[in-house]
Amino acid sequence: MKGTGALTLADGHVYPGELIGSSSVQGEVVFFTGMTGYQEVLTDPSYRGQIIVFTYPLIGQYGISEQDSESRQIQVSGVVVQTLANNGLRSDLADWLAASDIPVLTQVDTRALVHHLRNQGDQIGILTCGTSSVQEQSNLIATVSIKQPEVYPTDYEAGHIVCLDYGVKKSMIEALQERQMKVTVVPFDTPKTVIDELKPDGLLFSNGPGDPSQLDHLIPEINKLALAYPTLGICMGHQLIAKAFGCRIEKQHHGHRGANHPVRQLKTGRVFMTSQNHGYVVQADSVQNSELNVAYEHINDGSIEGLLHPTHPILTVQFHPEAHPGPLEAMVIFDQFVAGILKQEVAYAGS
Amino acid sequence: MQEVKKVLVIGSGPIVIGQAAEFDYSGTQACQTLREAGCEVMLMNSNPATIMTDPSTADHIYIEAMTLEKATAIIKRERPTHLLATVGGQTALNLALSLEEAGVLDQYQVKLLGTSLETIRDGEDRERFKQRMLELDQPLPISQTIETLEELEGFMEKAGVPLVVRPAFTLGGTGGGIAQTKEEARKLAANGLQASPISQCLVEASIAGYKEVEYEVMRDAFDTTIIVCNMENIDPVGVHTGDSVVFAPIQSISDKMNQILRTASREIVSALGVVGGCNIQFAIHPTEQTYYVIEVNPRVSRSSALASKATGYPIAKLATRLALGERLDDCINPVTKETMASFEPVLDYVTAKVPCFPFDLFPGSDRSLGTQMKATGESMAMGKTLEEALQKAWRGAGIEQAPLYPNWMKQADTEVLWQEVNQITDRRLLAMLALLDRKAATHEELAEKTQIQSLFLTTLETLILMQESLDLESKESLQQAKGFGFTDQQIAQITDVPLEVVQQQRNTFLIQPSFQMIDTCGAEFSSLTPYFYGSWSGRTEVTPSSRKKVAVLGAGPIRIGQGIEFDYCSVHAVRALQKAGYETIMINNNPETVSTDFEVADRLYVEPLTIEDVVHVLEAEQCRQVLVQFGGQTAITLAAELEELGYQLLGTTADTIDEMEDRDRFYQFLDRLQIDRILGQEVSNEEELTAIVKELGYPLMIRPSYVIGGKGMHRLTTATDLEKLLPEMVFPILVDAYIEGHEFEVDCISDKTTTYVPVIMEQIEAAGVHSGDSTMILPPVSALASLQDEIEQIAQTIGQHLDYQGAFNIQFVVKDQTVYVLEINPRASRTLPIVSKVTGQPLLEWAVQAAIGMKVEALPANRLTLPFHAVKTPVFSTLKLRGVDPMTGPVMRSTGETLQWTEAGLAKERFVFDQTTKTAMAKRTLRICGAGTDAWSEGAAVQPDTEFDTCLVFFSKSESEREQREKALAQGAIVITEEHLAQYFESVQTIPMCTVKPLSEWTTQKERIQ
């Protein structure tokens, strides 16, 4: 199905285009600035329920490839692009989107749209061939999280990590597996008692979609868990742990979504180019009155990019060390996490 | 706090194939950055046509031969504390290495800024490179470093053919190539060993067919590393990246592979210890997730200039700051002014680069492409689709699209088109379009033959499909065609309607171009950089100012006959206009240049220099005044149409340009002023031709009207010559008597009240050698003052009577004391930058003031007399162009020039302008004489099988010795084909070299004739 359509934003702005697909969808409209990695983005559960705008004007040039997906399905609700490329190959992005019933709005002035979101902030929008009103979404994490625990073994098992699944990306699990960690992925609301029985050597609080306040009821449990095991929090996991130790979370004016975000490690001054995808952020002032210290900061806007507990082995990062898409250089975070577990040290405090 | 650094910056010398204007851009940025940081900057570069050798760029400028001796003398005199050698291409690197090896850097305690010489050696020395990559576990194709042909045999036993030969320490892959057979390999390796200054080559198993990509990396001394840009060649491995069509960013490569290569890039620069910019080339397996490292260039390069312009991120500027020890995360991104430099640019457009080749100038030259670069320049364009970027870059490179590919391909046999595809020539993509158009090839066939990625083949198919489906009545169709980069002109051709109909239809449908900012961040942050490109989607981000404004048209890609000198002129035009209070709008599409640095003009547009594209910019900017006289012939050819559309050409009119270029009108002009001229006329058919030939007799010159670089010009000495040419002649043709006299040239500035002739230039070679290929001495050595007075007076008379304000150029020939005017070029000329530098006068500024209608009070009435002479030396790249005869003639073939100084009237440096010529002069003595040249010199007579490997100079003028000339050149001999130059060569042998002196010291010696 192809016809005229439009993206209507909550503030009433309309961006016309050509709509491929029949269903109308609603979601937060966010933009991704990376020039490669569309498949990883589309399948990243953190984008669950969102309408993704690609700033690069051509998407689909290198087709799709089965092993590049970050989860089993396309997670975004809708796609906004300038041109969906035809690459003459069989593994075609357009076909995959159509088969997954994901509507795509093409021929959109994405630059003007990004300009608007940059000035007016991220907001809900609706992708449709007609008009419709906008409603809020909630409980995204519950929809993307697995329902039953799943085990990801390794050939040589040096340790065991339990991953709380708020919408975990495949690459995060793979990064741990590559470091000889068996990973058990558990539903987002698994209680501590159940996790204790799994006898983990460490916990990974994963990435996930939306506002962390949707899990406010789990914050005390998260605090207990983090204090009980060596802990790594990534993105949503980072925000939840921050909350659990007294920080506040605020919505960003417009999120960080791209593969070129420079982050500085405070202790060493070292700069990492990181992949990011978040619309909420730890409020900088709130860290001072919390139990945590700042470990990483964003070079461009100074926002909090990582936190560290002074006495417990707890490290959290706002960026995505597992990359996919994006630079691989922050993978050292996993090295440090795993090394810390193996040496049973509080060591990954930044060296 | 810190002591002031005195930094010597080494430039790249003359423009040659493989080393063009990009190093003027990087060098100029480096000098400016160093001065901003409080350094005292001294600069060495023998190329006088550059902005970097301008008094405004550095504190002390040395326009000197690029030899170890001269560099040592400069260091001795200036005592720099530091040396910056990574912004001047291979030439600067090699010179820095020589300085170190000779102990000069140690002796004078000069420290190197940025990447160390050890690192440079790791990148350049093939054996060390291999070792380093092995240590890093980076995959390399199977290879071996050889220093003898025996070692080659050993390698072939092991790895067989095809193989690639890469000579060490050469630029643009000189002397290298791909060998399909063992015999070819032996020949290539012999050439390669000759071409390498250390007689070393890398031979490697061929990986032709792999995808080729490049990563532009920056690293600071604290190990922060970023990838500024990555790029993908359309052509798979096997075609030099300088000769390939390139897209930025990468297109057909997944994020997974991209990140693998990104990580590899970081590991490589970190392990090598690069501080500043670095270019890494990779080959990716066409289907599997494996790759090879092809090359690492630990310096700024042609690709880094392209990456800078493609993204807006000024690599050379940041590389210099990093070399001074700054941290990337402490530097502000100069484009957004809001974010830091330690981030990676993202684009929301596609950039395409298309190379320009000189083959059309030389019928019979070898058009095949391989590992040795042949392109002289490049055109860059941005678009929202691959198709748009590619088509814009094509037309910006002057490639004929009628409407998609050249006219001759329409008639050509399918077989001929397949030949272009199979051989890999510069016309391969166009031939593929032609084949697709006549349904003589399928996607699959082309994929198999060329191994070009399916994505790019689809791009070509899209263009053909668009052509087939184009419907002028449909808004959607027209919008789509514009989005794929079709011009109104192309659409008119396809739909077979007049151009006006297309324009009208477009206006009816409200389809208008939009101009968006190149902001390094895909609009994520606000940005104020006035750097724009045009496309056909999205809203325009340009708001015209209400200031008085002028658009300056640049010269486009560098080609033989139109080089870096016009960029020098364009940049100065911008500066002078700004000084006079104008807002300046620069339009140019050459990514190598200073003029396309967004900090030069008030607004920069990277757009093709065609009438449609230029007018769109002028409309968007509401600009009515255009300066065409500083952009060479490319800008001049747009003059008439611009004027017709109601734009005002500053300082000139289309009629004046026509009067000078139309031979009949030109002769009438001279006759009216009673100025002697050559006999000749324009003929429009064979009959008229026969009549005029009879009248004038031989020798004759013939040429098409409106020539650039002497294209299509021939000197005829007998009727046989004429017969040979007749079949390919396209009328009208200009026929002139040929006067074998002494040529002179002047560059003048006229504001209508005064015509200033700063100095007269004398050509060493006899008339008939293209002035661009000649040795020029200024002021003249042999001409009497009275003759110079007469030339000056003629120039002033012309200036008074020409409806023209600004800079213009006149060429004269003198015979038997009669001064004939050969031609008048109503535009800034190739030599204007040289005259400006030699006289130390702001000639460009005066010319611009005149052009905008000011009376230039500063214009002197009479020419200068100088107590020294400057010698302009042409530099050739003929070695890289197989099938091009090194004999000079009416068709220009030099690519660059150098300038030397002398107080004696003769300059030995004419033949010793770089390390290679210096070595030849020191090591070789043998003279070999061709037929009829023994009167010039005593030397051995040439035989068909003469070897030239110990020969210093080969004198040759006979047509039949072409093969020997090419061989002599390949074997390192100086080839001299003109008598006066030969005599000059003989007479400078005993002359000592001139002492080095900064430019300011030369130019303060001038005094005025009263």
Side-chain angles (χ1 to χ4, degrees):
Chain A
M1 284 276 293
K2 216 172 178 181
T4 44
L7 173 72
T8 308
L9 295 180
D11 65 8
H13 274 74
V14 178
Y15 291 84
E18 198 169 88
L19 190 73
I20 307 170
S22 50
S23 51
S24 276
V25 294
Q26 166 184 307
E28 188 182 18
V29 183
V30 297
F31 61 88
F32 174 76
T33 61
M35 299 180 288
T36 53
Y38 49 82
Q39 184 178 349
E40 289 87 338
V41 167
L42 296 174
T43 53
D44 177 349
S46 292
Y47 285 103
R48 181 74 179 193
Q50 291 177 326
I51 294 173
I52 184 87
V53 181
F54 288 100
T55 62
Y56 194 69
L58 278 181
I59 294 299
Q61 313 100 297
Y62 53 82
I64 51 167
S65 142
E66 212 173 308
Q67 64 273 22
D68 287 355
S69 285
E70 279 300 316
S71 66
R72 293 189 186 102
Q73 64 188 91
I74 297 181
Q75 299 285 354
V76 302
S77 293
V79 178
V80 177
V81 296
Q82 203 152 92
T83 303
L84 209 49
N86 168 12
N87 67 358
L89 298 171
R90 242 174 271 141
S91 55
D92 193 56
L93 175 65
D95 295 343
W96 186 44
L97 287 163
S100 311
D101 202 21
I102 306 293
V104 185
L105 191 68
T106 70
Q107 310 302 322
V108 180
D109 184 359
T110 46
R111 186 171 165 90
L113 175 55
V114 168
H115 219 273
H116 185 75
L117 294 175
R118 178 183 95 204
N119 291 327
Q120 304 304 318
D122 290 337
Q123 50 190 296
I124 300 289
I126 186 153
L127 205 62
T128 170
C129 42
T131 49
S132 190
S133 61
V134 167
Q135 293 154 5
E136 275 298 328
Q137 283 166 306
S138 59
N139 273 344
L140 286 166
I141 289 175
T143 36
V144 294
S145 183
I146 54 164
K147 308 299 174 247
Q148 292 298 323
E150 274 179 29
V151 178
Y152 294 83
T154 53
D155 297 340
Y156 170 78
E157 189 186 318
H160 179 208
I161 305 293
V162 166
C163 167
L164 284 109
D165 179 18
Y166 306 116
V168 70
K169 287 168 67 184
K170 185 187 72 176
S171 304
M172 242 174 242
I173 298 166
E174 284 174 354
L176 291 170
Q177 283 177 299
E178 278 162 21
R179 288 162 181 78
Q180 273 102 43
M181 290 288 133
K182 178 175 96 173
V183 184
T184 305
V185 180
V186 299
F188 73 103
D189 54 357
T190 309
K192 181 165 181 294
T193 48
V194 176
I195 289 173
D196 288 341
E197 277 167 31
L198 294 169
K199 297 197 170 44
D201 299 305
L203 299 183
L204 171 66
F205 292 74
S206 85
N207 62 303
D211 183 346
S213 67
Q214 60 186 299
L215 297 189
D216 274 355
H217 59 290
L218 293 177
I219 291 296
E221 196 75 358
I222 289 170
N223 177 286
K224 274 188 261 165
L225 277 168
L227 287 172
Y229 298 99
T231 288
L232 174 63
I234 295 175
C235 199
M236 175 60 75
H238 152 81
Q239 292 170 7
L240 291 169
I241 293 169
K243 256 190 145 169
F245 289 91
C247 301
R248 283 191 306 276
I249 308 295
E250 61 189 356
K251 180 144 175 55
Q252 284 170 295
H253 181 262
H254 57 283
H256 290 165
R257 290 180 185 87
N260 65 340
H261 288 271
V263 162
R264 186 187 289 116
Q265 184 177 31
L266 295 189
K267 187 172 169 188
T268 59
R270 197 174 151 192
V271 177
F272 295 87
M273 200 58 61
T274 68
S275 183
Q276 300 205 3
N277 166 25
H278 60 107
Y280 291 82
V281 70
V282 173
Q283 211 181 46
D285 301 340
S286 73
V287 180
Q288 284 174 356
N289 305 320
S290 78
E291 292 174 50
L292 304 175
N293 297 325
V294 178
Y296 294 87
E297 67 179 9
H298 198 289
I299 286 178
N300 284 339
D301 62 12
S303 61
I304 307 293
E305 286 292 342
L307 297 164
L308 204 56
H309 196 285
T311 53
H312 282 76
I314 302 172
L315 171 66
T316 68
V317 289
Q318 180 62 72
F319 52 88
H320 285 263
E322 80 286 358
H324 296 98
L328 303 169
E329 58 198 80
M331 281 281 189
V332 294
I333 298 281
F334 292 107
D335 293 336
Q336 289 161 10
F337 178 52
V338 169
I341 287 168
L342 297 180
K343 288 189 219 147
Q344 298 195 328
E345 282 172 6
V346 195
Y348 48 94
S351 61
Chain B
M1 191 171 70
Q2 255 180 327
E3 58 166 331
V4 176
K5 293 187 173 110
K6 291 177 73 177
V7 184
L8 173 64
V9 176
I10 305 182
S12 68
I15 305 292
V16 286
I17 288 177
Q19 209 165 256
E22 62 269 19
F23 297 112
D24 192 23
Y25 168 61
S26 57
T28 303
Q29 275 205 342
C31 290
Q32 284 167 349
T33 308
L34 289 168
R35 289 175 92 186
E36 280 163 23
C39 301
E40 187 180 337
V41 179
M42 42 228 69
L43 172 71
M44 175 186 193
N45 192 355
S46 63
N47 185 344
T50 50
I51 285 289
M52 77 187 295
T53 52
D54 217 47
S56 61
T57 310
D59 299 294
H60 314 278
I61 306 221
Y62 288 85
I63 303 180
E64 297 287 350
M66 307 296 283
T67 61
L68 173 62
E69 289 67 24
K70 298 275 185 186
T72 307
I74 293 169
I75 289 173
K76 199 167 159 185
R77 190 186 154 120
E78 292 285 350
R79 293 309 196 92
T81 57
H82 292 81
L83 173 67
L84 184 64
T86 47
V87 294
Q90 196 69 48
T91 301
L93 280 192
N94 286 355
L95 200 47
L97 290 171
S98 310
L99 282 167
E100 194 211 29
E101 277 153 22
V104 178
L105 298 184
D106 271 352
Q107 188 186 345
Y108 296 98
Q109 295 178 326
V110 184
K111 291 192 276 295
L112 203 75
L113 281 181
T115 302
S116 73
L117 289 175
E118 281 311 291
T119 300
I120 288 166
R121 284 199 184 88
D122 281 340
E124 299 278 335
D125 181 310
R126 290 294 172 178
E127 193 48 43
R128 289 177 58 157
F129 175 65
K130 206 170 134 183
Q131 282 313 316
R132 299 292 298 186
M133 290 306 113
L134 277 177
E135 285 161 28
L136 289 172
D137 212 13
Q138 288 294 339
L140 291 176
I142 305 169
S143 67
Q144 186 185 331
T145 307
I146 60 159
E147 287 177 355
T148 65
L149 288 174
E150 287 73 51
E151 287 172 319
L152 170 74
E153 296 298 333
F155 179 78
M156 289 196 294
E157 291 281 299
K158 228 170 36 201
V161 283
L163 58 80
V164 185
V165 178
R166 297 179 191 275
F169 292 92
T170 65
L171 62 101
T174 308
I178 298 183
Q180 298 296 341
T181 64
K182 289 195 172 183
E183 201 36 54
E184 274 175 34
R186 288 179 194 113
K187 234 163 95 187
L188 261 180
N191 277 342
L193 292 172
Q194 184 82 41
S196 164
I198 58 164
S199 290
Q200 189 197 79
C201 289
L202 183 85
V203 286
E204 66 187 23
S206 169
I207 48 167
Y210 274 54
K211 299 186 200 186
E212 184 163 341
V213 295
E214 289 184 71
Y215 281 64
E216 291 302 322
V217 194
M218 296 265 293
R219 178 179 177 270
D220 68 15
F222 309 91
D223 208 24
T224 296
T225 307
I226 60 163
I227 311 294
V228 176
C229 185
N230 51 27
M231 296 178 266
E232 180 174 2
N233 294 5
I234 279 194
D235 299 298
V237 173
V239 175
H240 191 282
T241 180
D243 285 356
S244 180
V245 173
V246 174
F247 285 116
I250 50 170
Q251 298 295 329
S252 80
I253 289 140
S254 73
D255 185 66
K256 206 168 242 176
M257 196 65 221
N258 178 20
Q259 300 307 335
I260 290 172
L261 297 182
R262 185 181 179 284
T263 305
S265 303
R266 288 170 42 81
E267 279 170 11
I268 290 168
V269 295
S270 180
L272 292 182
V274 170
V275 176
C278 184
N279 157 276
I280 307 183
Q281 293 170 23
F282 294 103
I284 307 175
H285 191 283
T287 53
E288 291 162 28
Q289 296 267 327
T290 58
Y291 73 94
Y292 290 120
V293 181
I294 309 179
E295 209 172 288
V296 174
N297 294 303
R299 54 172 171 86
V300 300
S301 61
R302 176 182 50 258
S303 298
S304 71
L306 178 63
S308 295
K309 303 296 171 62
T311 60
Y313 192 104
I315 295 177
K317 174 181 265 186
L318 269 304
T320 306
R321 291 179 63 174
L322 303 189
L324 286 170
E326 287 192 64
R327 297 179 62 109
L328 260 176
D329 52 323
D330 282 342
C331 298
I332 297 274
N333 173 357
V335 178
T336 61
K337 302 222 162 65
E338 199 179 90
T339 52
M340 306 308 287
S342 60
F343 90 120
E344 301 191 344
V346 294
L347 285 58
D348 58 3
Y349 48 85
V350 181
T351 306
K353 176 216 84 174
V354 164
C356 287
F357 296 94
F359 306 131
D360 286 341
L361 279 175
F362 311 109
S365 56
D366 174 7
R367 303 187 85 112
S368 66
L369 304 181
T371 58
Q372 177 182 300
M373 183 169 163
K374 292 183 174 180
T376 56
E378 56 197 17
S379 127
M380 177 179 82
M382 283 87 170
K384 290 290 186 191
T385 60
L386 291 168
E387 293 81 3
E388 182 179 31
L390 182 59
Q391 288 223 80
K392 282 176 75 179
W394 265 337
R395 64 176 178 267
I399 285 166
E400 183 192 353
Q401 288 190 280
L404 277 174
Y405 46 85
N407 253 317
W408 72 265
M409 289 192 181
K410 289 181 188 158
Q411 280 90 44
D413 287 343
T414 299
E415 216 167 285
V416 173
L417 297 175
W418 271 114
Q419 266 169 28
E420 299 278 339
V421 174
N422 292 335
Q423 265 194 359
I424 317 187
T425 72
D426 59 311
R427 306 187 284 215
R428 172 158 78 163
L429 292 174
L430 300 163
M432 285 162 72
L433 277 174
L435 286 167
L436 286 168
D437 197 14
R438 62 170 83 167
K439 313 274 183 265
T442 63
H443 185 114
E444 290 68 31
E445 279 173 305
L446 290 174
E448 194 205 313
K449 287 279 184 216
T450 64
Q451 290 173 292
I452 289 175
Q453 282 300 303
S454 175
L455 175 70
F456 303 129
L457 296 176
T458 310
T459 304
L460 299 181
E461 286 176 311
T462 305
L463 294 175
I464 297 295
L465 285 174
M466 189 68 242
Q467 174 185 272
E468 285 166 2
S469 70
L470 186 56
D471 174 8
L472 212 46
E473 300 305 315
S474 151
K475 178 178 179 182
E476 201 188 7
S477 176
L478 194 54
Q479 176 84 56
Q480 200 177 24
K482 296 308 288 182
F484 288 143
F486 284 85
T487 59
D488 291 351
Q489 186 73 51
Q490 280 172 299
I491 293 172
Q493 275 187 47
I494 293 167
T495 53
D496 202 19
V497 297
L499 178 63
E500 297 70 37
V501 175
V502 179
Q503 288 167 333
Q504 207 166 16
Q505 193 70 329
R506 201 160 57 64
N507 288 332
T508 311
F509 288 143
L510 298 173
I511 300 171
Q512 296 297 339
S514 66
F515 291 93
Q516 299 187 342
M517 195 183 281
I518 289 170
D519 60 9
T520 71
C521 63
E524 186 176 4
F525 307 102
S526 81
S527 174
L528 296 170
T529 312
Y531 177 14
F532 302 99
Y533 71 98
S535 80
W536 295 83
S537 68
R539 67 186 67 156
T540 199
E541 291 167 10
V542 169
T543 328
S545 75
S546 55
R547 292 176 59 191
K548 55 176 184 173
K549 57 185 82 169
V550 172
V552 178
L553 301 192
I558 291 204
R559 43 196 106 188
I560 289 179
Q562 197 167 290
I564 188 174
E565 56 275 5
F566 297 110
D567 198 66
Y568 177 88
C569 292
S570 302
V571 170
H572 272 280
V574 164
R575 289 182 183 166
L577 284 165
Q578 285 172 332
K579 219 165 153 183
Y582 285 84
E583 179 177 77
T584 52
I585 297 156
M586 181 78 220
I587 310 175
N588 197 9
N589 65 343
N590 181 345
E592 299 166 349
T593 56
V594 178
S595 67
T596 50
D597 181 339
F598 66 81
E599 288 187 334
V600 169
D602 296 294
R603 286 168 179 230
L604 167 65
Y605 287 83
V606 168
E607 287 293 290
L609 289 159
T610 68
I611 189 73
E612 266 186 51
D613 296 290
V614 167
V615 165
H616 288 151
V617 174
L618 297 176
E619 283 171 351
E621 284 288 353
Q622 291 170 11
C623 177
R624 306 303 303 170
Q625 297 192 311
V626 187
L627 202 50
V628 294
Q629 55 175 281
F630 298 95
Q633 199 63 31
T634 297
I636 289 288
T637 37
L638 299 179
E641 282 174 285
L642 284 170
E643 196 178 80
E644 214 166 281
L645 291 167
Y647 294 97
Q648 189 199 345
L649 308 176
L650 293 176
T652 186
T653 63
D655 184 63
T656 302
I657 294 169
D658 185 66
E659 189 175 22
M660 294 302 105
E661 299 209 357
D662 180 299
R663 223 49 189 176
D664 284 343
R665 292 190 63 194
F666 176 58
Y667 285 154
Q668 284 167 23
F669 172 83
L670 293 179
D671 292 348
R672 218 164 44 236
L673 300 184
Q674 295 179 319
I675 293 169
D676 287 307
R677 64 163 173 93
I678 305 240
L679 293 177
Q681 82 182 47
E682 185 175 301
V683 297
S684 46
N685 55 46
E686 215 175 308
E687 237 165 70
E688 287 178 26
L689 177 67
T690 322
I692 188 77
V693 168
K694 200 174 232 175
E695 192 186 320
L696 299 175
Y698 291 97
L700 289 171
M701 296 291 287
I702 63 159
R703 60 175 139 180
S705 359
Y706 294 93
V707 293
I708 166 172
K711 187 176 165 185
M713 248 167 109
H714 296 276
R715 198 177 99 188
L716 309 179
T717 46
T718 62
T720 340
D721 291 347
L722 181 63
E723 272 161 38
K724 256 194 275 177
L725 281 171
L726 260 179
E728 53 190 81
M729 256 180 213
V730 183
F731 292 97
I733 267 178
L734 305 175
V735 184
D736 286 318
Y738 168 71
I739 296 183
E740 186 166 5
H742 201 163
E743 272 201 39
F744 293 88
E745 202 171 320
V746 292
D747 284 309
C748 321
I749 312 293
S750 171
D751 68 352
K752 286 296 283 197
T753 318
T754 312
T755 298
Y756 175 46
V757 183
V759 66
I760 289 155
M761 291 173 273
E762 175 186 11
Q763 178 172 323
I764 298 279
E765 294 85 349
V769 172
H770 192 285
S771 68
D773 285 355
S774 67
T775 308
M776 293 271 195
I777 302 189
L778 51 158
V781 172
S782 71
L784 294 173
S786 58
L787 176 65
Q788 296 189 43
D789 289 345
E790 195 184 341
I791 289 174
E792 186 180 8
Q793 273 156 23
I794 294 172
Q796 286 170 339
T797 308
I798 289 171
Q800 270 159 32
H801 291 87
L802 198 61
D803 183 15
Y804 185 87
Q805 293 101 48
F808 66 101
N809 165 280
I810 312 173
Q811 292 177 19
F812 304 88
V813 62
V814 178
K815 190 172 188 196
D816 301 332
Q817 276 135 45
T818 305
V819 180
Y820 303 89
V821 167
L822 282 175
E823 60 181 85
I824 301 175
N825 293 305
R827 56 171 172 81
S829 75
R830 188 176 299 117
T831 41
L832 190 59
I834 294 178
V835 177
S836 184
K837 274 175 196 163
V838 169
T839 60
Q841 290 177 326
L843 300 182
L844 271 302
E845 190 179 335
W846 290 342
V848 170
Q849 288 171 354
I852 57 177
M854 289 167 64
K855 181 168 169 18
V856 189
E857 301 293 345
L859 270 192
N862 298 307
R863 73 176 191 276
L864 297 171
T865 174
L866 304 171
F868 62 88
H869 300 273
V871 182
K872 182 215 82 168
T873 302
V875 176
F876 298 82
S877 306
T878 322
L879 187 54
K880 302 206 168 84
L881 301 171
R882 217 163 48 198
V884 176
D885 188 346
M887 184 150 83
T888 53
V891 178
M892 183 167 162
R893 52 199 68 212
S894 64
T895 48
E897 57 205 5
T898 72
L899 193 68
Q900 286 83 41
W901 312 89
T902 169
E903 275 157 346
L906 289 168
K908 189 171 189 173
E909 286 88 339
R910 165 63 182 82
F911 301 96
V912 189
F913 50 82
D914 63 12
Q915 210 51 47
T916 317
T917 44
K918 165 85 195 168
T919 313
M921 206 66 139
K923 285 195 182 151
R924 300 175 171 199
T925 51
L926 181 65
R927 288 158 162 71
I928 297 179
C929 293
T933 66
D934 34 357
W936 306 353
S937 174
E938 292 196 0
V942 73
Q943 305 296 332
D945 56 352
T946 301
E947 293 297 322
F948 296 88
D949 43 7
T950 58
C951 167
L952 171 62
V953 59
F954 175 39
F955 299 106
S956 167
K957 65 167 191 182
S958 162
E959 282 289 339
S960 62
E961 284 164 5
R962 176 178 179 151
E963 254 175 60
Q964 283 99 323
R965 279 190 291 270
E966 283 195 53
K967 185 169 165 191
L969 203 65
Q971 297 190 348
I974 299 171
V975 177
I976 294 180
T977 60
E978 198 280 337
E979 181 169 0
H980 297 92
L981 187 64
Q983 281 155 4
Y984 193 87
F985 176 84
E986 295 294 1
S987 50
V988 298
Q989 292 309 306
T990 50
I991 300 269
M993 302 270 202
C994 198
T995 337
V996 299
K997 260 191 237 177
L999 184 59
S1000 56
E1001 209 163 295
W1002 287 111
T1003 53
T1004 45
Q1005 294 181 24
K1006 63 179 182 252
E1007 45 189 89
R1008 190 146 293 141
I1009 290 186
Q1010 293 307 322

